[in-house]
Amino acid sequence: MIRFDGVTKQFPDGTTAVDDLSLTAPTGKITVLVGPSGCGKTTSLRMVNRMIEPTRGGISLDGQDTGRMDAAELRRGIGYVIQHAGLFPHRTVLDNIGTVPRLLGWDKKKVKDRSRELLEVVGLDPKLGNRYPTQLSGGQQQRVGVARALAADPPVMLMDEPFSAVDPIVRDQLQDEFLRLQDELGKTIVFVTHDIDEAIKLGDQVAVLRVGGTLAQVAEPQYLLAHPADDFVADFVGKDRGYRALQFEHAPRLTLHSEPSVVVGETPSSRASWLLVVDDDRTPLGWVEPARVGDRPVASEDLHRGGTVARASGSLRGALDAALSSPARRGVLVDNDGVLVGTVRAHEVLTAIEETERPERDEDDPVHGGAMDVSGERG
Amino acid sequence: MDWFLANWPRVIDLAGSHLYLSGVPLVVGLVLSVPLGWAAVRWRASYPAIITSSGLLYTIPSLALFIVMPLILGTRILDPFNVLAAMTVYTLALLVRTVADGLSAVPDHVEQAATAMGYGGLRRLFGVQLPLAVPVIASGLRVASVSNVSIVSVASLIGVSQLGDLLIDGYQRVIYGELLTGILACVVLALALDRLIVLGARLLTPWQTAGGGAA
Amino acid sequence: MIPSILEWFRDPMTWSGPGGVPTRLLEHLWYTVVTVVIAAAIAVPLGLWVGHTGRARWLVSVANSLRAVPTLGLLFAVSLVVGPYIPGDLAFTAPSIAVLVLLAIPPILAGTYAGIDAVDPSARDAAKGVGMRGRQVLWQVELPNALPLLLSGVKSAMLQVVATATIAAYLGLGGLGRYLIDGLAVSDIGEAAGGALLVGLLAIVLEGVLSLLQRRVVSPGLTGRTARGSQDGDDAPQAEAPADAPVDVRG
């Protein structure tokens, strides 16, 4: 558990970067600090491992005042990931990963084994180990950065915009893998981003900071979307927050329709205006218009691929999007293995939405709350 | 100071020669380095060859180059043209790399925008690439000018007259005033050339100083 | 001119005795190595300190402004002022060596400082962030990354010294410069030009040796000379820039 206690940081030029911040990052959870530039989120993060010293107030790690620890020792026990990865260009990937274990005096063999192991943990090809950072793509560098931070298995990780320098598709992929990894490792993580979508996707709790370094609100993401504490938070959270909140509502309450389908390469028997095409494993491939295909077997050029596919165990947001994007107006739902389960119509999803309850507003609004109870359920 | 006051016409005269011997090669070297630097960037394969050979030229000690120059040019050893040629070689050696670096530092999107608007090869070079490379080229030119002024004084050892004469004469006859005047005159000349280049670069790149110096 | 050079090279006197090429060559090498080592011993720690702490950056500017002073003038002035206080033969060599050291310092200082200054701030930040202490950051991250520019500075300094040592023969210093100065003094073009060719050759060979050394000690991760394997990653590789930029100073 990381606890900020009335932490203030004033820089020598007189600007106040962080103003009386009190916040707790619970053990084993991801706490996201989010806000516009100049809100002091990075400064707050860097005060945890004492890259920046607070002007007033204190930060404790599992009850121990970090100000009394040796700064270098403290940092070796905290994983640190930064925006451009900050890899050492003169060292190979494996040597980069082994940095902290070597600082801790592990023997060479153990460092090497651990580095190789981590390369796999973060999903990198083992043969990249002897490359140098400049030979890697941005996404690969960022993975190495995460591996380096994990090397000595620190209980706490600080991550400063680790995914913002890579392109959106890679970012999405890295975020998903990061969540999968966190499910396994259960680190106490403080994560800084300026991207509210990333904050909502990754955070067990999200702390919104405003310019001048004051805490505007701290809450679970779905609560934040439903009950922004003030205009600033509402504005920052964004316009389509109602829609985005749907990603925290689970879809299983939907009643599914069975959908007639045709396997690709066979001739459609139905004369419906749109027919779903699947492969041999019943994984949906797209829609066809039988009238256009006629008596030919369905070929892959015939497919209309506009519709999205949602997981039946996923969120209402996914189900609604599947329905809205489908040319047949029927949203395709699959199970966890990608096998067709059935379809759902938009109005049915909307009905399900109307039946869900918005997150309860706490009587004791946790704007300046201390430790929060976080259930840890993610969409 | 006394020595300078007594001999200032001669100092001015020598300073003129010094400026001529270091300044003309600066201009000629710049003019020649543009096509070479451009070629090194345009044909990437030629880059290492051009840069390495110009680097090697820069390696040769000045006095040695002054002495060997007649061998290459077929001139007499006392001909000031040897010094002009040697200084041009140094300037060229230094500037080719600078021009190449300056041209490759022009952002890709700017070059592509220029091409998309219909700028052809040469017009793109003179209309877009070179102007944007001016700051880098100017910094190379500054290094070259300071080094030229210093090297030219060595030419007195082969009998080509300029401010270096004051250094040698002052040393041989132990006239501190003359030696000091020679050194100071060289420093002043170097600084003046340096300022001139900075000023020229500023005039050529008004966008660098406009807009309150925003990054 | 060429026949007289060939004649000088063919003369057995050219190759033997205290004035012979092997002796002069060794002298020249000796001056060069000694001065560059002394200059590096002063300038590298200073540059590391200025770069690492960010303090006293004016030192670098002061050293750089020394470039505007003509080397010939500096040689004469120092030997005129200091020479009389030094007894015997040293009166000629010691001031010259001192000037050579003085001239070798600015390029090494500038190269070292520029090298440290050019270290990717995020790599430095990460080094502190993973728990390196000040010294560890300097030795394990800043210095290895500064090596390309640092060694470029050493290379410039070395060429500067080779060139200036040649001129210092005018003040009685030994080395290959003797042939140039003595040849000019007696209008023996063969000797002067022959010596000039030797000096040029020496400079080029030394430059080559240092470039090889640079290749050996600089991490392949910094030079972009690493073999590029297949890119089986998730997005395009980042562009790389060679870290070896020129820090040229000479006279």
Side-chain angles (χ1 to χ4, degrees):
Chain A
M1 186 177 80
I2 304 165
R3 194 182 168 90
F4 289 77
D5 228 347
V7 174
T8 295
K9 177 66 194 179
Q10 272 170 331
F11 284 109
D13 66 0
T15 51
T16 302
V18 178
D19 193 6
D20 194 25
L21 176 70
S22 291
L23 180 73
T24 299
T27 304
K29 300 290 175 201
I30 302 175
T31 298
V32 179
L33 306 182
V34 66
S37 58
C39 72
K41 52 192 189 295
T42 293
T43 306
S44 304
L45 181 90
R46 287 163 67 86
M47 283 192 288
V48 175
N49 65 353
R50 293 184 54 196
M51 296 293 278
I52 296 175
E53 300 285 351
T55 313
R56 273 191 300 282
I59 298 171
S60 66
L61 203 62
D62 291 328
Q64 276 194 297
D65 181 5
T66 55
R68 288 163 189 261
M69 301 182 193
D70 176 82
E73 298 277 348
L74 168 74
R75 289 172 195 155
R76 288 172 199 177
I78 297 177
Y80 186 54
V81 187
I82 55 180
Q83 187 173 1
H84 295 284
L87 299 182
F88 304 136
H90 63 297
R91 287 187 177 168
T92 62
V93 166
L94 279 179
D95 286 345
N96 262 289
I97 298 176
T99 303
V100 182
R102 238 175 300 129
L103 285 174
L104 293 172
W106 294 16
D107 72 65
K108 275 187 182 158
K109 170 101 175 61
K110 200 175 156 201
V111 173
K112 196 135 215 176
D113 291 346
R114 176 66 178 156
S115 305
R116 280 186 211 288
E117 179 191 337
L118 275 161
L119 209 53
E120 267 175 65
V121 168
V122 297
L124 283 175
D125 189 330
K127 67 173 188 269
L128 293 181
N130 292 320
R131 297 250 182 107
Y132 287 91
T134 45
Q135 296 172 288
L136 303 184
S137 68
Q140 288 170 331
Q141 291 189 13
Q142 213 45 264
R143 284 169 199 259
V144 177
V146 172
R148 180 174 64 184
L150 287 171
D153 202 16
V156 174
M157 301 263 285
L158 304 178
M159 308 182 82
D160 188 2
E161 308 231 12
F163 307 138
S164 52
V166 292
D167 70 69
I169 294 170
V170 176
R171 187 186 312 149
D172 216 44
Q173 202 179 327
L174 289 173
Q175 287 168 345
D176 290 341
E177 282 182 52
F178 169 64
L179 287 177
R180 174 183 61 77
L181 210 58
Q182 168 67 355
D183 276 344
E184 283 170 34
L185 303 175
K187 305 281 184 194
T188 306
I189 295 174
V190 180
F191 189 109
V192 161
T193 179
H194 63 270
D195 175 1
I196 185 68
D197 289 318
E198 184 169 68
I200 283 167
K201 178 172 176 182
L202 301 182
D204 293 308
Q205 79 171 347
V206 175
V208 184
L209 302 175
R210 67 174 105 234
V211 178
T214 53
L215 185 61
Q217 187 173 11
V218 52
E220 289 173 51
Q222 57 267 55
Y223 187 89
L224 199 71
L225 289 170
H227 302 293
D230 55 23
D231 287 347
F232 169 76
V233 179
D235 204 39
F236 191 76
V237 165
K239 287 264 181 285
D240 49 355
R241 54 186 175 268
Y243 180 61
R244 279 191 281 130
L246 291 177
Q247 78 188 66
F248 299 103
E249 301 298 341
H250 289 268
R253 67 190 84 200
L254 294 169
T255 321
L256 302 186
H257 306 276
S258 67
E259 182 70 31
S261 60
V262 57
V263 177
V264 68
E266 288 177 2
T267 310
S269 52
S270 156
R271 286 287 161 229
S273 59
W274 287 98
L275 186 60
L276 187 63
V277 182
V278 296
D279 68 6
D280 293 334
D281 298 325
R282 290 193 55 74
T283 301
L285 298 175
W287 296 88
V288 288
E289 292 174 89
R292 289 194 178 203
V293 177
D295 292 332
R296 292 186 289 112
V298 175
S300 103
E301 307 87 80
D302 298 324
L303 291 177
H304 184 291
R305 299 176 191 270
T308 58
V309 172
R311 274 203 263 164
S313 62
S315 67
L316 285 175
R317 179 179 175 168
L320 183 60
D321 192 70
L324 292 177
S325 63
S326 161
R329 296 285 175 251
R330 298 189 292 278
V332 181
L333 297 189
V334 295
D335 66 12
N336 286 339
D337 298 321
V339 175
L340 175 66
V341 186
T343 52
V344 67
R345 288 176 171 276
H347 68 85
E348 293 162 338
V349 183
L350 290 175
T351 307
I353 291 167
E354 283 176 6
E355 285 163 3
T356 62
E357 286 169 12
R358 284 159 65 80
E360 279 298 312
R361 181 171 198 124
D362 295 354
E363 288 308 315
D364 177 22
D365 203 75
V367 172
H368 293 290
M372 279 199 48
D373 173 46
V374 178
S375 60
E377 198 64 41
R378 263 194 300 270
Chain B
M1 200 63 199
D2 290 341
W3 190 91
F4 173 71
L5 290 177
N7 296 279
W8 66 267
R10 178 155 170 255
V11 175
I12 299 295
D13 199 35
L14 290 172
S17 315
H18 205 111
L19 183 63
Y20 171 72
L21 290 171
S22 49
V24 169
L26 219 51
V27 176
V28 178
L30 176 63
V31 169
L32 292 179
S33 64
V34 168
L36 274 174
W38 176 76
V41 174
R42 176 71 180 71
W43 293 283
R44 274 276 129 186
S46 70
Y47 183 89
I50 293 179
I51 299 304
T52 308
S53 48
S54 67
L56 279 184
L57 285 179
Y58 197 70
T59 303
I60 301 166
S62 48
L63 185 57
L65 193 59
F66 289 155
I67 293 178
V68 174
M69 225 53 212
L71 192 68
I72 301 162
L73 300 171
T75 44
R76 285 176 306 109
I77 187 134
L78 286 176
D79 197 332
F81 187 73
N82 296 327
V83 177
L84 283 176
M87 297 318 298
T88 305
V89 167
Y90 283 137
T91 310
L92 189 65
L94 218 139
L95 284 183
V96 166
R97 181 168 187 160
T98 314
V99 170
D101 290 351
L103 288 180
S104 28
V106 173
D108 250 7
H109 62 264
V110 173
E111 264 179 62
Q112 283 174 10
T115 313
M117 285 184 287
Y119 271 97
L122 270 186
R123 285 194 59 195
R124 193 176 63 210
L125 176 65
F126 287 102
V128 180
Q129 291 170 293
L130 269 182
L132 287 176
V134 163
V136 179
I137 296 175
S139 72
L141 207 55
R142 290 175 65 188
V143 174
S145 73
V146 170
S147 117
N148 275 12
V149 170
S150 174
I151 296 175
V152 161
S153 60
V154 174
S156 291
L157 294 177
I158 57 160
V160 175
S161 200
Q162 26 63 38
L163 289 172
D165 290 11
L166 301 180
L167 305 175
I168 293 186
D169 197 55
Y171 171 72
Q172 284 181 333
R173 294 164 48 197
V174 197
I175 305 171
Y176 288 99
E178 185 175 11
L179 183 56
L180 195 64
T181 303
I183 292 175
L184 287 181
C186 281
V187 171
V188 168
L189 200 60
L191 292 182
L193 271 179
D194 187 67
R195 287 293 97 192
L196 203 66
I197 294 165
V198 171
L199 197 72
R202 205 170 282 167
L203 287 177
L204 282 173
T205 58
W207 59 89
Q208 291 266 319
T209 38
Chain C
M1 189 168 175
I2 292 172
S4 57
I5 297 173
L6 286 177
E7 194 188 320
W8 182 73
F9 273 118
R10 268 197 229 111
D11 187 349
M13 283 299 287
T14 303
W15 299 93
S16 61
V21 169
T23 316
R24 293 295 185 214
L25 185 68
L26 279 180
E27 279 174 358
H28 211 114
L29 263 179
W30 174 242
Y31 302 145
T32 308
V33 172
V34 167
T35 44
V36 171
V37 166
I38 296 174
I42 298 166
V44 171
L46 207 58
L48 290 179
W49 178 73
V50 173
H52 182 70
T53 61
R55 266 182 266 175
R57 290 210 181 91
W58 54 267
L59 268 173
V60 181
S61 330
V62 167
N64 272 335
S65 62
L66 213 73
R67 291 189 210 183
V69 179
T71 50
L72 195 66
L74 202 60
L75 272 173
F76 290 161
V78 171
S79 84
L80 259 196
V81 175
V82 181
Y85 298 102
I86 302 169
D89 273 355
L90 274 178
F92 294 108
T93 46
S96 300
I97 298 284
V99 170
L100 293 182
V101 170
L102 204 60
L103 289 172
I105 287 176
I108 302 180
L109 181 64
T112 307
Y113 168 74
I116 298 282
D117 197 53
V119 173
D120 180 3
S122 70
R124 188 181 287 129
D125 187 66
K128 279 185 215 149
V130 298
M132 287 191 189
R133 298 181 195 281
R135 247 163 219 279
Q136 289 170 319
V137 175
L138 182 64
W139 288 109
Q140 296 184 26
V141 178
E142 288 177 328
L143 185 62
N145 280 290
L147 268 187
L149 286 177
L150 189 157
L151 289 176
S152 290
V154 171
K155 212 154 50 172
S156 298
M158 198 191 60
L159 297 178
Q160 167 87 298
V161 169
V162 170
T164 311
T166 313
I167 300 168
Y170 190 85
L171 301 177
L173 196 70
L176 294 170
R178 287 254 57 85
Y179 300 128
L180 287 79
I181 298 296
D182 296 346
L184 284 172
V186 299
S187 293
D188 181 346
I189 297 304
E191 183 180 359
L197 289 176
L198 288 176
V199 168
L201 201 66
L202 174 66
I204 288 175
V205 168
L206 282 177
E207 150 94 21
V209 168
L210 263 197
S211 297
L212 277 182
L213 180 79
Q214 204 165 358
R215 269 175 194 241
R216 290 298 293 272
V217 299
V218 171
S219 159
L222 295 172
T223 53
R225 269 188 292 103
T226 37
R228 170 62 60 71
S230 63
Q231 287 293 334
D232 34 17
D234 32 20
D235 57 346
Q238 295 191 331
E240 59 190 50
D244 176 22
V247 190
D248 287 323
V249 186
R250 61 169 295 145

